[in-house]
């Protein structure tokens, strides 16, 4: 069973050396809550069965496109198209503009042209994400700067390759965003051929160490991908070939047709010297969807990258994504501390600078275990050190131990309360909206799910912290005053 619009693509795929087991795997449109278009098992499929293989000649990357060679590698670098995503996006736009003359025509024709990601939301919908980290991570301004500073310059340098009359249809800013979103939601980090051989049994028993991480991020334009123990790690960026020739951000036909959902993975993509293979990691019953993995991301990242959220039963009750997290910036901890002590905390800025120099985190992540991160506790205690204790810690180059004492728990409670206040609505209001959400516009609904997941973590973490604080205060004497504050002043 295959969707009619996929038939020309699947024929192209097989004519060019791809293998797909069409007796075992088909494609259908699932409800949007299950990912939309995806792969389905046509019969019971055993574990470790190869569903399809993709020859490396069908993997699309900058190296696979003929554009850089036609453009001229020297001018390509002068336009800075060898850094970041701009070069790959331009290659995709150029191949798309060639229509039937492009080797990739049938593949590009099945990729989405519209996305539900916040990159394409209007201002009113984006307001629904207030308090979450989604909007500030979109990178829209950076992407548009790259388009104007790199891509438009390249178009002007080679009008023979990019006729001016073709720019509105094929090389517009809108098309740039569409191609970038295709890469963001469907690309893989591909290690080049020549890796050491590892048996399939070793791969599967080692939690897929040689499986490929999917879906690149457009934020960190200066990060490089890393390879550890043979695994492919998420890490955007196409670097200069001479600097990092081992990995390419690539599009993998057929593999990007599979959907993903938290905890549902039943197939993974493995690489070999000449081809990539999608192999089942467990038995799959006929009619079940075949799921790949996005590494179990929180809903904030799923929405930002792919335009959907996971809503599953939670172990503690309710529905949401078990992988949800909340980010708390270190500067929120500092500003909350300064509100308590003001000018008395004379060395707080110096302490923060030292903390960062020592490799301390500037963002702390709360998870669904509702525990306070040790690094957050350590930073909080650093701020409370007396002048003598601060000097000793600096001399030893050793931050305080992450012991959650009365002072630390008190300040962190205030930080969590301030973090909750970043949302324009309360958790109760969001829960009522969720219960009565039938017919709610999709963007508003998905933003609501993101907010609710974060608020559950914040409220549950705060409740647990306050209980621990109450228990501790009954057993211990009041804590000493804050740094550089005399007892006399503290009593006023």
């Amino acid at each position: 069973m295959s969707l009619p619009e996929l038939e020309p693509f699947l024929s192209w795929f097989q004519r060019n050396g791809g293998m797909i087991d069409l007796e075992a795997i088909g494609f259908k449109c699932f409800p949007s809550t299950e990912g939309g278009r995806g792969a389905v098992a046509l019969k019971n499929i055993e574990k470790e069965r190869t569903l399809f293989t993709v020859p490396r000649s069908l993997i699309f990357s900058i190296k696979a496109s003929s554009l850089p060679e036609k453009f001229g590698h020297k001018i390509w670098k002068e336009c800075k198209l060898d850094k970041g995503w701009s070069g790959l996006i331009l290659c995709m736009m150029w191949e798309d503009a060639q229509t039937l003359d492009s080797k990739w025509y049938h593949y590009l024709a099945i990729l989405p042209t519209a996305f539900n990601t916040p990159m394409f939301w209007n201002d009113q919908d984006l307001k629904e994400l207030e308090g979450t980290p989604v909007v500030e991570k979109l990178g829209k301004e950076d992407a548009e700067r790259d388009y104007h500073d790199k891509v438009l310059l390249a178009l002007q340098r080679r009008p023979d390759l990019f006729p001016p009359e073709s720019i509105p249809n094929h090389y517009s800013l809108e098309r740039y965003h569409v191609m970038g979103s295709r890469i963001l939601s469907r690309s893989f980090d591909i290690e080049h051929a020549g890796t050491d051989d590892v048996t399939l049994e070793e791969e599967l028993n080692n939690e897929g160490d040689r499986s490929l991480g999917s879906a690149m991020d457009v934020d960190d334009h200066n990060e490089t991908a890393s390879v550890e123990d043979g695994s492919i790690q998420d890490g955007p960026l196409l670097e200069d070939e001479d600097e990092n020739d081992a990995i390419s951000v690539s599009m993998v036909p057929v593999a990007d047709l599979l959907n993903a959902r938290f905890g549902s993975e039943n197939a993974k993509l493995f690489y070999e010297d000449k081809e990539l293979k999608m192999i089942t990691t467990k038995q799959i019953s006929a009619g079940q969807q075949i799921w790949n993995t996005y590494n179990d991301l929180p809903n904030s990242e799923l929405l930002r990258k792919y335009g959907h959220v996971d809503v599953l039963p939670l172990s503690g009750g309710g529905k949401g994504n078990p992988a949800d997290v909340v980010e708390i910036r270190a500067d929120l901890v500092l500003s909350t501390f300064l509100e308590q002590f003001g000018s008395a905390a004379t060395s707080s800025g110096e302490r923060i600078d030292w903390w960062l120099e020592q490799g301390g985190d500037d963002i702390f992540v709360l998870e669904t275990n509702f525990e306070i991160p040790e690094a957050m506790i350590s930073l909080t205690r650093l701020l409370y050190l007396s002048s003598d204790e601060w000097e000793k810690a600096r001399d030893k180059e050793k931050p305080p131990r992450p012991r959650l004492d009365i002072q630390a728990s008190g300040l962190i409670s205030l930080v969590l309360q301030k973090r909750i206040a970043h949302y324009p609505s309360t958790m109760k209001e969001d829960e009522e909206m969720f219960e009565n959400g039938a017919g709610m516009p999709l963007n508003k609904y998905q933003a609501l799910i993101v907010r609710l997941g974060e608020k559950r973590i914040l409220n549950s973490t705060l409740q647990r912290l306050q209980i621990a604080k109450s228990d501790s205060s009954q057993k211990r004497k009041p804590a000493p005053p804050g740094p550089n504050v005399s007892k006399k002043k503290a009593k006023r």
Side-chain angles (χ1 to χ4, degrees), residues 40 59 67 139 272 333:
V40 62
I59 297 172
L67 177 61
E272 296 182 358
V333 178

Side-chain angles (χ1 to χ4, degrees), residues 230-423:
S231 63
I232 299 298
Q233 309 292 331
D234 274 345
L237 263 270
L238 292 167
E239 292 293 334
D240 186 280
E241 292 180 5
D242 295 334
E243 297 175 357
N244 186 13
D245 200 37
I247 293 175
S248 292
V249 181
S250 307
M251 307 291 287
V252 184
V254 181
D256 53 15
L257 288 174
L258 273 62
N259 292 318
R261 185 178 65 187
F262 179 89
S264 300
E265 169 210 309
N266 50 28
K268 273 197 172 186
L269 191 63
F270 296 86
Y271 60 78
E272 296 182 358
D273 281 352
K274 296 182 179 180
E275 60 192 8
L276 310 183
K277 293 183 177 181
M278 184 66 72
I279 300 175
T280 58
T281 57
K282 59 184 68 173
Q283 292 182 343
I284 307 175
S285 300
Q288 286 187 336
Q289 184 163 183
I290 302 172
W291 300 96
N292 196 2
T293 179
Y294 294 154
N295 297 323
D296 291 341
L297 298 175
N299 276 335
S300 58
E301 287 295 278
L302 290 178
L303 181 61
R304 183 176 70 87
K305 293 181 176 181
Y306 314 113
H308 76 269
V309 295
D310 282 348
V311 184
L312 305 168
L314 300 173
S315 58
K319 293 183 178 180
N321 185 341
D324 275 341
V325 299
V326 175
E327 296 182 356
I328 297 181
R329 300 172 66 95
D331 56 13
L332 180 60
V333 178
L334 176 61
S335 64
T336 305
F337 176 79
L338 291 176
E339 287 177 4
Q340 303 302 305
F341 296 102
S343 60
T346 54
S347 64
S348 57
E350 184 181 359
R351 297 182 189 198
I352 289 292
D353 291 341
W354 178 81
W355 166 266
L356 296 175
E357 289 171 1
Q358 296 296 312
D361 296 335
D362 60 353
I363 294 179
F364 307 109
V365 178
L366 304 183
E367 301 178 355
T368 50
N369 59 8
F370 312 134
E371 298 286 344
I372 304 298
E374 290 188 350
M376 186 177 182
I377 300 172
S378 181
L379 174 63
T380 304
R381 294 195 65 215
L382 175 67
L383 295 173
Y384 275 106
L385 292 181
S386 68
S387 297
D388 289 342
E389 291 170 333
W390 156 234
E391 292 297 333
K392 290 180 181 178
R394 184 166 56 177
D395 290 342
K396 293 181 178 180
E397 297 187 345
K398 188 175 182 181
R401 289 183 299 152
R403 178 169 56 84
L404 193 60
D405 56 20
I406 293 294
Q407 286 180 320
S409 61
L411 183 66
I412 291 174
S413 292
L414 292 175
V415 171
L416 297 184
Q417 292 171 25
K418 290 185 69 173
R419 181 64 178 81
I420 291 171
H422 287 178
Y423 304 97

Side-chain angles (χ1 to χ4, degrees), residues 6 45 52 90 97 100 115 143 147 215 262 285 297 310 355-356 392 476:
L6 292 182
I45 304 176
F52 56 84
L90 181 57
L100 289 171
F115 295 85
Y147 172 78
F262 179 89
S285 300
L297 298 175
D310 282 348
W355 166 266
L356 296 175
K392 290 180 181 178
R476 301 178 59 181

Side-chain angles (χ1 to χ4, degrees), residues 406 467-478:
I406 293 294
I467 291 173
K469 181 182 176 183
S470 176
D471 292 343
S472 178
S473 64
Q474 295 175 13
K475 298 177 183 178
R476 301 178 59 181
K477 295 179 180 180

